[in-house]
Amino acid sequence: MIVVATFALFGMAIPALLVGLFGGAGEGGNFGLNLVGVLLAAAITAILVRTVFLKQSWMDAAAYGWRLKRSLMRVTNQMHQVKDGVKAGDESAMLLLRFYHLGLQEMHHLDGNTSEMLELVAEREQLREALAARGVSEEQLALRSEWLEHVAGSGKN
């Protein structure tokens, strides 16, 4: 709410200031100034979020969710190679898919949308059993870049 309020404040104040300083009396002639003001407000808000707000404890949950979504998207972008690697028994691909399942489960939990996870139960359990059979921990709570690089390299061969 603080970020929204900041943007709303800047989004109204900056265009009004620009129109007051540089605007004309003609109707509709200030659209460009209003647009520039809103774009400036968005840029200032983004800078504040990056430099000030993300360092605050009240932003921890939002920052966690954002980082988790970015990590999941990195896996999603290579999902075809990941699934091919899992079928071939590639341990890095299996670890990536396990991280993806756990991360997706966490995102659905954070969003309060647990019904979406029912679709992946069979795939998740099959993978968990395959990891257990190899003696690999099923608790893959961090995304490792080397897994992505390995899977991406395997897909090029």
Side-chain angles (χ1 to χ4, degrees), residues 69-80:
K69 283 181 182 179
R70 285 192 42 96
S71 293
L72 290 173
M73 187 53 66
R74 289 179 65 196
V75 178
T76 301
N77 289 340
Q78 295 184 10
M79 188 56 75
H80 183 70

Side-chain angles (χ1 to χ4, degrees), residues 39-95:
L39 293 175
L40 280 172
I44 290 170
T45 302
I47 290 168
L48 282 172
V49 166
R50 289 282 201 171
T51 60
V52 178
F53 294 163
L54 280 177
K55 296 175 183 170
Q56 307 301 317
S57 61
W58 50 267
M59 281 290 289
D60 288 348
Y64 170 74
W66 183 75
R67 284 190 306 270
L68 181 58
K69 283 181 182 179
R70 285 192 42 96
S71 293
L72 290 173
M73 187 53 66
R74 289 179 65 196
V75 178
T76 301
N77 289 340
Q78 295 184 10
M79 188 56 75
H80 183 70
Q81 291 130 324
V82 170
K83 290 197 175 188
D84 287 348
V86 168
K87 287 178 187 172
D90 183 347
E91 192 170 297
S92 291
M94 294 170 80
L95 293 171

Side-chain angles (χ1 to χ4, degrees), residues 93-145:
M94 294 170 80
L95 293 171
L96 267 175
L97 191 57
R98 181 63 180 162
F99 168 81
Y100 180 79
H101 287 158
L102 292 173
L104 200 57
Q105 184 175 344
E106 178 72 7
M107 280 309 307
H108 288 311
H109 175 73
L110 291 173
D111 292 341
N113 186 7
T114 55
S115 64
E116 290 291 324
M117 280 309 296
L118 295 176
E119 296 176 12
L120 294 174
V121 169
E123 180 181 352
R124 192 174 66 226
E125 285 305 308
Q126 184 180 19
L127 179 64
R128 190 185 64 72
E129 290 170 4
L131 286 171
R134 289 175 174 243
V136 177
S137 172
E138 62 185 66
E139 292 303 314
Q140 303 304 322
L141 304 177
L143 177 61
R144 296 192 183 151
S145 294

